Amino acid sequence: KTFYFLPDGKRFIVREETSAGYMHLYLYSLDKGLLNPITQGPWEVTDFVGVRGNKVYYTSTEGSPLHRNLYRIGLNGKHKERLTPDDGFYKISPSADLSYYIAESSTNTTPTRTEIFNANGKSVRMLEDNAELREYLQQNGVIAPREFFSFTTERGDTLCAYMVKPLDFDPSRRYPVLLTQYSGPGSQRV
């Protein structure tokens, strides 16, 4: 769980798992208890980034369990906006007052980009776009692409996965398999 007291000292935000099994944000009052859910839906809030004014910033799997995008929403759970410009996996490092944040992003086919944004999601400065590395990888094909797929377990759960085949993959040959799996608390990696 994550707890964050608002500046008034009487209300706080809790990140907790719902009865449906999804991690979400809730607004509580010391006097009244639960005031309202801030986020809700069949997806996970993966990180509570912070609060600026009456807006809550968080990353989630809302678009896809394969992505982590930054959103902001009112404390009342209304007026949600996605702030990250592209689909991908974003790691957010906010300034103390959340007037700026550094976003490190990458995708299945692109190396990490590091960029500074203001609180409204407008890019202020690109710190590193790895353009040379991205061009080198595209021209030389040195990394085999990940092939994403999903499957359903005997219990009926749908899981996402990916496979990386050798660059010179021959479907008529047999290959050894290296399987990475971790299903620890809060993990979506299989």
Side-chain angles (χ1 to χ4, degrees):
K1 286 189 178 186
T2 299
F3 296 93
Y4 175 83
F5 272 90
L6 295 174
D8 63 17
K10 297 179 181 183
R11 296 176 299 157
F12 57 97
I13 295 170
V14 177
R15 182 177 147 236
E16 62 186 347
E17 192 171 319
T18 67
S19 60
Y22 296 105
M23 189 68 75
H24 281 289
L25 300 174
Y26 297 88
L27 181 62
Y28 282 86
S29 162
L30 288 175
D31 301 329
K32 299 176 185 175
L34 177 64
L35 297 176
N36 60 271
I38 298 171
T39 62
Q40 49 191 330
W43 43 269
E44 300 269 336
V45 170
T46 55
D47 190 28
F48 168 78
V49 175
V51 175
R52 180 174 167 80
N54 66 350
K55 298 286 187 177
V56 178
Y57 291 71
Y58 65 93
T59 57
S60 77
T61 63
E62 188 167 348
S64 164
L66 303 175
H67 300 157
R68 297 295 181 274
N69 286 294
L70 176 67
Y71 294 85
R72 76 174 172 187
I73 192 170
L75 285 167
N76 61 2
K78 297 181 180 176
H79 309 293
K80 178 172 44 178
E81 305 169 75
R82 183 174 133 178
L83 298 178
T84 44
D86 302 310
D87 286 334
F89 199 99
Y90 283 84
K91 180 180 178 292
I92 306 298
S93 301
S95 63
D97 65 353
L98 236 163
S99 55
Y100 296 96
Y101 58 89
I102 294 174
E104 294 177 88
S105 64
S106 62
T107 69
N108 178 44
T109 58
T110 60
T112 302
R113 294 169 41 125
T114 306
E115 197 167 358
I116 300 174
F117 291 87
N118 68 19
N120 293 322
K122 181 175 169 45
S123 176
V124 174
R125 182 173 180 199
M126 178 65 70
L127 297 177
E128 178 61 66
D129 67 357
N130 276 313
E132 289 179 35
L133 176 58
R134 185 172 33 257
E135 184 178 323
Y136 176 83
L137 292 173
Q138 287 173 348
Q139 288 178 355
N140 296 294
V142 293
I143 297 178
R146 294 177 182 171
E147 296 177 19
F148 289 91
F149 61 96
S150 61
F151 61 94
T152 305
T153 66
E154 303 97 30
R155 195 172 78 173
D157 297 319
T158 301
L159 302 177
C160 296
Y162 69 86
M163 183 184 319
V164 179
K165 296 176 184 172
L167 284 171
D168 59 349
F169 179 73
D170 177 356
S172 66
R173 285 188 52 208
R174 290 183 63 153
Y175 293 88
V177 173
L178 173 63
L179 176 71
T180 303
Q181 190 273 337
Y182 171 69
S183 298
S187 171
Q188 293 179 322
R189 185 173 178 178
V190 176

